Amino acid sequence: EYQVLCHGWLTRHEITVGVFWLGGLPSTCGSGRPSKTIVQQQSHLQHPEMNSLSQLSMRLVTGRKHQIRCHLAHVGHPVVSDMVYQSLATCQMDLVKHADNC
């Protein structure tokens, strides 16, 4: 089980979507091998200088490379401070606000 902080208020209980990984490149979702992640919301947070955040417990049913990061980005809730699976602007904001976590 993994503890994750992501952007937005995630309300899903599972994410099921294919994950494709090609060598040293980031994984892509929507195609590839079937994969499933079980999501349990721990809390929803409102950061004073950022948008809302969700603290999650996540359990992999399948084990694909970058599965959690790929799944959360695919449903529009990227992991905080993820330099690969979120927009450059969001990542830069995360690095300013959460530099001690990187």
Side-chain angles (χ1 to χ4, degrees):
E1 197 161 289
Y2 298 87
Q3 298 298 310
V4 179
L5 186 64
C6 73
H7 288 278
W9 287 20
L10 185 67
T11 57
R12 293 172 171 255
H13 297 287
E14 73 177 47
I15 303 169
T16 303
V17 65
V19 174
F20 179 73
W21 184 70
L22 181 62
L25 302 173
S27 298
T28 58
C29 281
S31 62
R33 298 173 66 189
S35 58
K36 182 176 181 177
T37 305
I38 304 298
V39 180
Q40 181 178 9
Q41 292 79 23
Q42 298 299 316
S43 62
H44 292 283
L45 312 166
Q46 187 67 43
H47 192 283
E49 299 175 16
M50 298 176 68
N51 292 327
S52 57
L53 302 170
S54 292
Q55 181 180 355
L56 311 170
S57 290
M58 303 187 79
R59 184 173 56 85
L60 300 175
V61 177
T62 54
R64 310 286 183 238
K65 184 154 185 116
H66 297 182
Q67 179 174 323
I68 289 174
R69 296 164 66 195
C70 186
H71 274 185
L72 287 173
H74 182 76
V75 297
H77 297 279
V79 174
V80 171
S81 298
D82 189 335
M83 298 175 73
V84 176
Y85 292 95
Q86 68 181 0
S87 71
L88 179 59
T90 303
C91 185
Q92 288 173 334
M93 182 179 67
D94 287 353
L95 293 176
V96 169
K97 304 297 180 195
H98 302 282
D100 55 334
N101 294 333
C102 297

